[in-house]
Amino acid sequence: MAALIPVSTGEPERDTTHYVQAILRSLWLRGDDTALRWRGTSVSARGLHRDIGLATEGLRRLGVGPGTTVGVLTEANSPLALTARYAAHLLGATVVYVRSTNPGPQAPALPAADQAEILRETGADLLVVDPANARTGQAAANLLSPPVRLAGFGECGAGIPTLTAADVPADRPAPAHEPDLAVVTYTSGSTGRPKGIRQSFTGWNSTVLSAYPALRNAGKVTFLVVTPVSHAVGVILDIVLAAGGTVVLHERFEPGQTIRAIEAERITGTYMAVPQLYALLDHHALADTDVSSLRQLMYGGCPASPERLAQAVRFFGDALMQNYGTSEGGRITLLGPRDHHSPELLSTVGRPFPEVDLSVRDPETEQELPPGRTGEVWMKSPNMMSGYVGDPALTARTLRHGWLRTGDLGHLDAKGYLHLTGRLSDVIKSRATKIHPATVEKALASHEGVANAVVYGVRDSDELEHVHADVALRPGAGCTAEQLRRHVASVLTPLHVPARITFHAELPLAVSGKVDRRQLRSLAERSAAPDAD
Ligand code: AMP
């Protein structure tokens, strides 16, 4: 998922060339005003300014500087996750968040072994932890040879230097180096293995610097975060902080809590995935809650049903903004608030953002196709990735002649609106996570009772995709769907668990001799909704 406010751009302060400097300046001027809220406590603007200064000095003393990479492992959406990134970026270092690879609101923490693999792959020089994650961080660091050094916010235990112990005058000018890469973002990946996406600092920096002046003139902004700050929403809250707004950080999405927060904290903007928008619409409290403070409700990440969007317009009026984007490409198109009032546009994902070039190409010949013809969506923008970590072959397949292939299929209409119609690969996007069928098939097949398994995605009437599995058991095996679900959850994650498992004596074969996936999928599409999700 990727999105950004505001859509219009403005001039950055003439002497500010580093986005963290813009944030620091705004924080300093705001004094005791609240910058962040998390777990019922507030961090004042001056307090956050001081914390960033202390962390910058602490990291500098530990050797962090241009060309280094800092791993960050904190509690979900903790203010420390931001402090660490700002400090590292001021010093010219690249950041890699290792807590989770899922960009969606349900982001289970990775096991230490996977975190260690990310640290190894990115060549991290230091891992920053908070007290709650010191032990896991230590376990991950020790899996590497030599172990990655640790540094802690606060007291994190023996042998872990405290980052914030340095005594720095609050108004000391911050360094402002610019790393080549802002972050390496890990996502669940379309090949099953988590993929590290290299995001340039220039793109991130110019996005914040060009967007915040317009937002600063748009009145008081209070932005609610319900998705991981390690992913797409990160750049949005940088814009909010640089513009003098307040960021309310929720650790995870819970519809009732979100609805209550919108009313109680007079939230003006938020960002969520399509299923979360549906969860708000389905919540009994929405009708009786005052959500009129919301001026921007950005959503996206997977297809949305036009009927549900028409329902959303009744509650959220002109706040709705749909974004189509990818982890690799950043934001691509926008269906703006006014578009939401034209029923015929609700099945589109809108038009490209100003900085994006879009091209629909024949997947075989790579030739550009005219409006109306369906092909693969290619895009180009300053925010697109510079490549995958450690996978030059995949990078070469995805980045072509300065363009990025999204793997999505669609067409442009005469008015320039993009209609998405499917994907080139059979990757499933369920609950904000990309799931490769082969990964789940392998997990199912590793259960002693399973002879064969086929997995694919099925869309329900709301356009949400669910993981379906067809399973043939070994002779005499008596395992149940529930046992297989528990098995998949333990081998992979709860997000990979099939919503529906259908048992067969034998799986049907196509003429090729392979299991007839297409037949099974069309049977599933015609039958009832998932039995669990
Ligand atoms: P991710 O890289 O996890 O953000 O997933 C990106 C993919 O999600 C895209 O390639 C699309 O298939 C899908 N996607 C994202 N936003 C939308 C949207 N607004 N409508 C339809 N599909 C979307």
Side-chain angles (χ1 to χ4, degrees):
M1 308 194 277
L4 194 62
I5 51 168
V7 180
S8 57
T9 58
E11 285 299 310
E13 309 286 353
R14 247 173 297 137
D15 56 341
T16 307
T17 56
H18 194 298
Y19 84 94
V20 184
Q21 276 182 326
I23 292 173
L24 286 175
R25 173 156 50 198
S26 164
L27 293 174
W28 182 250
L29 293 174
R30 288 169 63 195
D32 291 335
D33 194 15
T34 297
L36 299 175
R37 273 204 284 279
W38 187 65
R39 290 189 175 172
T41 60
S42 297
V43 181
S44 72
R46 233 13 111 77
L48 182 58
H49 185 283
R50 191 200 52 236
D51 291 348
I52 297 169
L54 287 176
T56 307
E57 183 59 15
L59 286 178
R60 192 189 64 76
R61 291 183 190 182
L62 288 166
V64 172
T68 57
T69 298
V70 175
V72 178
L73 178 57
T74 63
E75 296 211 71
N77 286 355
S78 138
L80 299 177
L82 301 179
T83 304
R85 169 159 62 80
Y86 297 149
H89 280 177
L90 283 173
L91 292 163
T94 299
V95 168
V96 57
Y97 288 107
V98 301
R99 187 177 182 282
S100 166
T101 54
N102 181 20
Q106 303 173 60
L110 292 171
D114 292 12
Q115 294 174 343
E117 183 53 22
I118 291 176
L119 293 170
R120 189 196 59 72
E121 203 171 67
T122 53
D125 299 280
L126 188 78
L127 176 63
V128 174
V129 293
D130 60 8
N133 289 276
R135 200 191 278 222
T136 324
Q138 190 80 70
N142 288 345
L143 288 172
L144 299 169
S145 171
V148 168
R149 286 181 305 147
L150 261 71
F153 282 112
E155 288 304 322
C156 287
I160 303 182
T162 301
L163 261 184
T164 37
D167 187 14
V168 207
D171 53 357
R172 171 180 159 152
H177 299 289
E178 298 189 3
D180 288 342
L181 294 180
V183 289
V184 178
T185 305
Y186 273 79
T187 76
S188 40
S190 56
T191 55
R193 201 176 70 84
K195 277 185 306 190
I197 293 167
R198 296 154 55 92
Q199 287 182 279
S200 85
F201 183 81
T202 325
W204 188 299
N205 199 41
S206 65
T207 300
V208 180
L209 290 179
S210 66
Y212 84 87
L215 190 64
R216 195 173 43 187
N217 300 327
K220 172 79 183 143
V221 173
T222 306
F223 190 86
L224 175 64
V225 175
V226 294
T227 56
V229 298
S230 49
H231 286 72
V233 81
V235 76
I236 301 179
L237 55 90
D238 293 352
I239 295 168
V240 171
L241 288 176
T246 299
V247 174
V248 177
L249 296 157
H250 283 188
E251 286 164 72
R252 65 186 67 80
F253 174 84
E254 196 284 311
Q257 206 188 2
T258 300
I259 291 169
R260 277 194 300 281
I262 294 172
E263 183 176 66
E265 312 206 41
R266 305 301 295 156
I267 298 297
T268 61
T270 188
Y271 171 61
M272 61 188 64
V274 170
Q276 282 71 55
L277 176 62
Y278 292 175
L280 293 189
L281 296 175
D282 293 339
H283 199 278
H284 62 87
L286 183 62
D288 301 321
T289 305
D290 176 8
V291 292
S292 60
S293 58
L294 258 191
R295 302 198 296 265
Q296 286 182 321
L297 195 173
M298 287 165 277
Y299 67 93
C302 63
S305 104
E307 292 75 23
R308 293 294 253 161
L309 292 185
Q311 186 192 2
V313 172
R314 290 201 288 279
F315 284 103
F316 299 111
D318 281 342
L320 291 166
M321 299 168 80
Q322 185 184 153
N323 173 228
Y324 156 56
T326 71
S327 307
E328 287 85 348
R331 64 183 199 172
I332 304 174
T333 63
L334 172 77
L335 188 72
R338 278 222 223 119
D339 297 331
H340 281 79
H341 294 289
S342 304
E344 74 282 4
L345 295 179
L346 294 180
S347 58
T348 79
V349 292
R351 287 183 289 197
F353 279 95
E355 77 282 7
V356 174
D357 285 332
L358 206 71
S359 173
V360 174
R361 307 271 176 125
D362 182 311
E364 299 298 321
T365 64
E366 302 190 354
Q367 293 304 307
E368 182 153 27
L369 297 168
R373 293 272 306 278
T374 297
E376 185 184 7
V377 178
W378 290 36
M379 57 87 57
K380 211 189 243 190
S381 104
N383 298 319
M384 70 196 220
M385 70 164 185
S386 59
Y388 295 107
V389 176
D391 201 337
L394 183 59
T395 302
R397 280 203 303 278
T398 311
L399 294 177
R400 307 281 294 155
H401 320 298
W403 292 84
L404 183 136
R405 302 177 66 149
T406 63
D408 290 315
L409 291 171
H411 67 269
L412 285 165
D413 65 22
K415 290 188 186 147
Y417 283 81
L418 180 65
H419 300 242
L420 288 183
T421 47
R423 281 196 210 101
L424 273 178
S425 73
D426 54 6
V427 65
I428 306 165
K429 183 98 186 268
S430 176
R431 293 182 284 185
T433 308
K434 277 186 185 156
I435 292 169
H436 197 268
T439 316
V440 185
E441 285 167 5
K442 224 188 273 168
L444 284 166
S446 70
H447 188 282
E448 58 193 7
V450 172
N452 204 352
V454 162
V455 169
Y456 45 84
V458 173
R459 292 221 179 131
D460 67 16
S461 57
D462 271 354
E463 295 291 338
L464 297 183
E465 206 169 14
H466 303 273
V467 180
H468 278 227
D470 288 283
V471 171
L473 293 179
R474 287 181 196 280
C479 56
T480 64
E482 207 30 57
Q483 284 167 331
L484 292 183
R485 285 201 177 96
R486 276 203 299 274
H487 178 70
V488 172
S490 69
V491 177
L492 298 168
T493 76
L495 297 170
H496 290 82
V497 171
R500 181 159 203 185
I501 298 178
T502 309
F503 290 101
H504 302 257
E506 268 177 31
L507 296 182
L509 300 184
V511 275
S512 63
K514 291 186 192 167
V515 174
D516 194 343
R517 187 184 290 270
R518 189 177 293 183
Q519 183 194 338
L520 289 168
R521 186 203 292 253
S522 64
L523 275 176
E525 279 166 350
R526 288 203 299 273
S527 69
D531 44 43
D533 200 2

